[in-house]
Amino acid sequence: MKVEAKILLILGLFFGIVAAVYWRWSVENAGGVMLVAAMLLGFLPGSYYWWWSRRMRTRPEDDPTATPAQSAGVVGAFPGTSIWPFTMGMGAFFVVLALVFGIWLLVPGIALVTWALLGGIAEGRRGGRV
Amino acid sequence: MTDVLEHPVAVGDHGHHEDHGPRGVLKWLTTTDHKVIGLSYTVTAVIMLVIGGLFAEIIRAQLASPNGTLVSLAQYNELFTMHGSVMIYLFAGPFAFGALANIVVPIQIGAPDMAFPRLNALSYWLYLTGSITMLSGFFTAGGAANFGWVGYAPLSNSINTPGAGADLWIGGLLLTGFSAIFTGVNLVATIFYLRAPGMTMFRMPIFTWNLLVTALLILLAFPVLTAGLVMLYADRHFGTHIFSVAGGGVPVLWQHIFWFWGHPEVYILALPFFGMVTEIIAVFSRKPVFGYKGMVFATLTIAALSLGVWAHHMFTTGVVLLPFFSIMSLLIAVPTGIKIFNWIGTMWRGEIWFSTAMLMAIGFLVTFLIGGLTGIYLASPPLDFFTHDTYFVVAHFHSVVMALVLAGMAGLYYWGPKITGYLLNETIGKIQFWFLFVGTQVFTFPIYLLGLRGMPRRMAVYPHDPQWKFLNDVATVGAILIGVSTILFVVNIIVSWKKYPAGDNPWDGHTLEWFTTSPPPHHNFYRLPPIRSERPTWDYNHPEHTALGHGEHAKDEAR
């Protein structure tokens, strides 16, 4: 976990330096704001990973001498099939079409997205149809 | 080195389930398997390549004579806008981080699937609906978007470009943008959390490394574009004046926002293809990657620098910091140079096997070098002032993106057998390579010269100048050769359909995807080899070549 954290922290530090130089030197603000946001995107998850990496034992994937047997057991629950991503995609499609062809398309759009959200959450609670 | 897990790797708490899932269309609609989603992405992206390519052929046919009458001026604007949009937004990116990444990354790191399989499926549906949304502009009364693929304000506002086509372009980009962001989240989570035991970060294949960095870049860049599009839509329909001078807005802000996404996007497109050729060159040179850590460092450096170079697209606006952006842009040549050096170093003294995939990868190297070197010229403001908005710029980025097409073809020839279980015909593949490679050079070289002779881009007609006419004709011939190569690819798929069984490891590959079956089972692996280097499959198949850790060299062993 330490390598992952370091990558994000170093990227954040680099963007921080670039943001400082750019803000000081340039005459417009948009770029500086976007660079500061980039810095935060390095620092926020990076510091979280770093905090965690100091509190957890070495994972098998970080252990250079780990054997395949250490992966035995449950990795996680992976749903085999699910209709909800498609339903939500169609809902998002209608929401975007509402931007172009008329506000009424928001009705099927939001209905589909809500249905997919509820269905997906319920499916997740059950562990998915696998 | 031989303790292989002989029983299935347990994934999920529901045991085996590949046999009672839905079939046919319902399987396609409900799948959460990264391989099926990856294949859907691949097919959709290749269809987009063909559609974008058809637009390109129409554009080149129009330019074959100075006063071409094949399409009207308005149609020409739609064509070059949608050619760029389809190729960049709907083909190159999704093909790189949606198609091949989806199929290969989880297998390369020994994972059973992507970290969030349902989110992965949603990414695909957003990509598909976004593509349909953008292309449906052609069926509206005013036609498709026609302000160039960059959508510059104030040309893209509701006064200069009214109509549904532009709104469908914005809507399509919103959908595909979210699709990309979700894929980025998925890739980062997969690579951080689902690696097999022993697969440390510095044992990951370079392709996976590049996809990790690509995913981070997606997360940094795409939200900015999405925000910009929301502002553009608000300007068009809600009466805001963010990009219009009349209401106190700043049109050039759109360019800042667009290119803050747009330049990292160049590397979001390129890095996955860099990863592909790194794998391919190493496997077909029968050597490990030369300078593995240097490659990782170069990838990270390119990504970091790419966020600080956006305004080199805006040198001629007169309101950007020329020295800052010039220096940052020129600096990118250093890590890119490291990569080119390492690719050549990987081939150096290797037993090179000139398969179609390897030829395509070498073709990429040459073409990308030309595109990269002309990019160095453009990073210099005095030269950029001279060539801005001429065909020189068009030639530069077509060298770059055609190199990526070569790399993508290399990837299809290399990984296609893994996902389908069947090889493609090598003879047709090699003929396709020569058409594609020669066509690319015949297409780009004359338009470099056209640019230097002052021909502006995005013109449907041009003055009667014998030199311009000749160079345009040569470029059109190049475009036809590229078109023939695409037809040959389709022919190859038809001719080779289920004809040449690939076996599990047709290329004597290095990485974990060549350890499992072709195509891989539902959750990818029945067994895993011990992972002691970045080449676990090679180590397992060639125990006589003991893997050395990083920093250890054969010479040291001899001493």
Side-chain angles (χ1 to χ4, degrees):
Chain A
M1 211 68 229
K2 280 204 165 61
V3 180
E4 289 91 328
K6 274 185 199 163
I7 290 169
L8 289 166
L9 289 174
I10 292 170
L11 281 177
L13 184 68
F14 178 81
F15 295 140
I17 294 167
V18 175
V21 172
Y22 184 75
W23 208 306
R24 185 80 188 81
W25 198 358
S26 79
V27 289
E28 60 91 31
N29 294 322
V33 171
M34 291 188 284
L35 284 169
V36 168
M39 176 190 80
L40 290 177
L41 207 96
F43 279 149
L44 291 177
S47 48
Y48 178 73
Y49 286 139
W50 184 253
W51 183 77
W52 258 112
S53 72
R54 294 168 60 84
R55 273 162 189 76
M56 61 199 278
R57 275 176 298 172
T58 308
R59 301 177 304 167
E61 54 262 51
D62 293 328
D63 174 8
T65 58
T67 60
Q70 281 171 259
S71 77
V74 175
V75 176
F78 292 88
T81 58
S82 171
I83 192 66
W84 302 117
F86 175 73
T87 315
M88 187 174 279
M90 290 305 117
F93 187 31
F94 280 117
V95 168
V96 163
L97 290 182
L99 295 176
V100 186
F101 296 117
I103 203 85
W104 61 273
L105 279 163
L106 276 181
V107 177
I110 291 175
L112 281 171
V113 169
T114 313
W115 189 28
L117 266 179
L118 295 175
I121 291 167
E123 185 183 63
R125 291 254 170 103
R126 286 197 308 272
R129 184 179 166 274
V130 284
Chain B
M1 293 298 280
T2 53
D3 57 322
V4 172
L5 202 66
E6 289 294 348
H7 52 274
V9 178
V11 283
D13 42 3
H14 300 272
H16 285 293
H17 40 253
E18 55 237 73
D19 291 323
H20 51 258
R23 294 261 169 264
V25 178
L26 201 60
K27 179 185 177 192
W28 181 61
L29 294 181
T30 60
T31 188
T32 54
D33 182 344
H34 72 100
K35 297 180 290 292
V36 182
I37 296 169
L39 203 57
S40 304
Y41 259 111
T42 311
V43 172
T44 315
V46 170
I47 291 172
M48 291 303 151
L49 173 70
V50 171
I51 293 174
L54 281 175
F55 295 162
E57 299 294 341
I58 300 172
I59 290 170
R60 285 314 319 174
Q62 164 77 11
L63 294 176
S65 61
N67 279 319
T69 51
L70 184 64
V71 292
S72 70
L73 300 185
Q75 284 168 333
Y76 188 82
N77 289 348
E78 288 173 41
L79 279 172
F80 72 68
T81 300
M82 294 307 280
H83 166 69
S85 300
V86 168
M87 288 302 201
I88 298 285
Y89 304 116
L90 308 184
F91 161 66
F95 182 81
F97 56 73
L100 288 181
N102 231 322
I103 295 171
V104 175
V105 166
I107 315 184
Q108 276 197 332
I109 59 173
D113 203 315
M114 293 285 258
F116 308 115
R118 288 181 293 178
L119 188 69
N120 196 18
L122 176 61
S123 290
Y124 173 70
W125 296 115
L126 294 182
Y127 162 53
L128 183 68
T129 51
S131 305
I132 294 169
T133 306
M134 192 192 285
L135 284 168
S136 61
F138 280 109
F139 303 106
T140 60
N146 57 5
F147 37 58
W149 75 279
V150 292
Y152 275 178
L155 182 60
S156 54
N157 69 19
S158 55
I159 298 160
N160 295 317
T161 313
D167 291 325
L168 286 166
W169 183 85
I170 294 171
L173 284 189
L174 285 173
L175 287 169
T176 54
F178 275 108
S179 159
I181 292 167
F182 295 156
T183 303
V185 170
N186 227 331
L187 281 169
V188 173
T190 307
I191 294 169
F192 278 6
Y193 286 104
L194 285 180
R195 302 195 306 276
M199 178 66 79
T200 60
M201 287 296 275
F202 284 99
R203 281 179 187 166
M204 291 197 313
I206 293 286
F207 181 70
T208 299
W209 257 113
N210 280 28
L211 259 301
L212 170 64
V213 178
T214 304
L216 293 174
L217 270 182
I218 289 173
L219 297 182
L220 288 163
F222 267 84
V224 177
L225 176 71
T226 306
L229 290 166
V230 171
M231 291 185 229
L232 183 62
Y233 186 82
D235 263 17
R236 288 173 63 86
H237 294 284
F238 301 146
T240 59
H241 293 282
I242 300 165
F243 303 125
S244 74
V245 180
V250 187
V252 85
L253 177 64
W254 168 262
Q255 294 192 33
H256 277 293
I257 291 172
F258 183 85
W259 288 116
F260 196 85
W261 162 81
H263 204 81
E265 165 73 358
V266 174
Y267 292 99
I268 291 169
L269 303 183
L271 289 177
F273 293 102
F274 289 180
M276 286 175 210
V277 294
T278 311
E279 302 281 316
I280 290 164
I281 287 176
V283 166
F284 291 104
S285 302
R286 306 185 64 73
K287 278 177 66 189
V289 175
F290 176 82
Y292 174 93
K293 283 201 171 173
M295 280 301 220
V296 173
F297 167 79
T299 306
L300 283 165
T301 315
I302 289 175
L305 286 169
S306 77
L307 251 85
V309 299
W310 73 91
H312 69 211
H313 298 268
M314 305 159 56
F315 279 160
T316 53
T317 57
V319 291
V320 297
L321 201 57
L322 296 180
F324 177 87
F325 289 107
S326 182
I327 292 165
M328 295 290 275
S329 306
L330 288 168
L331 275 177
I332 292 193
V334 178
T336 314
I338 292 176
K339 277 183 176 285
I340 303 254
F341 183 81
N342 283 357
W343 285 324
I344 296 170
T346 307
M347 284 191 273
W348 189 258
R349 290 187 161 181
E351 285 175 38
I352 297 180
W353 172 6
F354 288 102
S355 65
T356 306
M358 184 63 170
L359 285 175
M360 294 277 187
I362 295 171
F364 156 85
L365 208 67
V366 175
T367 315
F368 185 77
L369 189 62
I370 296 166
L373 288 175
T374 50
I376 296 178
Y377 300 154
L378 291 170
S380 160
L383 287 172
D384 185 74
F385 284 154
F386 177 64
T387 50
H388 185 82
D389 258 347
T390 69
Y391 262 96
F392 190 83
V393 177
V394 178
H396 155 68
F397 67 71
H398 277 84
S399 283
V400 172
V401 292
M402 286 310 296
L404 303 185
V405 171
L406 278 156
M409 283 293 165
L412 284 176
Y413 276 88
Y414 179 66
W415 279 308
K418 176 50 65 183
I419 195 68
T420 61
Y422 294 92
L423 294 159
L424 287 166
N425 185 306
E426 281 286 304
T427 311
I428 302 178
K430 283 173 187 165
I431 300 170
Q432 183 204 346
F433 162 74
W434 285 110
F435 269 94
L436 183 55
F437 180 71
V438 174
T440 298
Q441 316 311 335
V442 173
F443 164 61
T444 51
F445 269 84
I447 57 175
Y448 278 116
L449 297 174
L450 271 175
L452 292 177
R453 276 154 210 212
M455 180 162 167
R457 60 197 285 201
R458 294 173 178 159
M459 296 200 329
V461 291
Y462 52 91
H464 280 279
D465 176 316
Q467 273 192 339
W468 281 20
K469 160 88 171 106
F470 172 71
L471 290 169
N472 269 303
D473 284 350
V474 178
T476 303
V477 171
I480 292 168
L481 294 179
I482 296 170
V484 171
S485 84
T486 313
I487 294 168
L488 282 172
F489 180 62
V490 178
V491 168
N492 198 351
I493 292 175
I494 296 165
V495 168
S496 321
W497 192 257
K498 297 202 170 176
K499 212 172 183 180
Y500 315 106
D504 294 346
N505 190 2
W507 318 118
D508 200 2
H510 294 171
T511 39
L512 281 180
E513 72 269 30
W514 304 110
F515 195 81
T516 185
T517 54
S518 307
H522 185 59
H523 275 154
N524 295 345
F525 292 97
Y526 290 125
R527 55 193 195 126
L528 280 171
I531 298 160
R532 292 293 172 269
S533 76
E534 77 265 15
R535 301 200 295 170
T537 304
W538 172 276
D539 292 342
Y540 181 74
N541 291 332
H542 301 273
E544 71 279 10
H545 299 293
T546 319
L548 297 173
H550 288 295
E552 295 175 40
H553 295 284
K555 270 191 287 185
D556 302 337
E557 295 266 301
R559 266 182 226 137

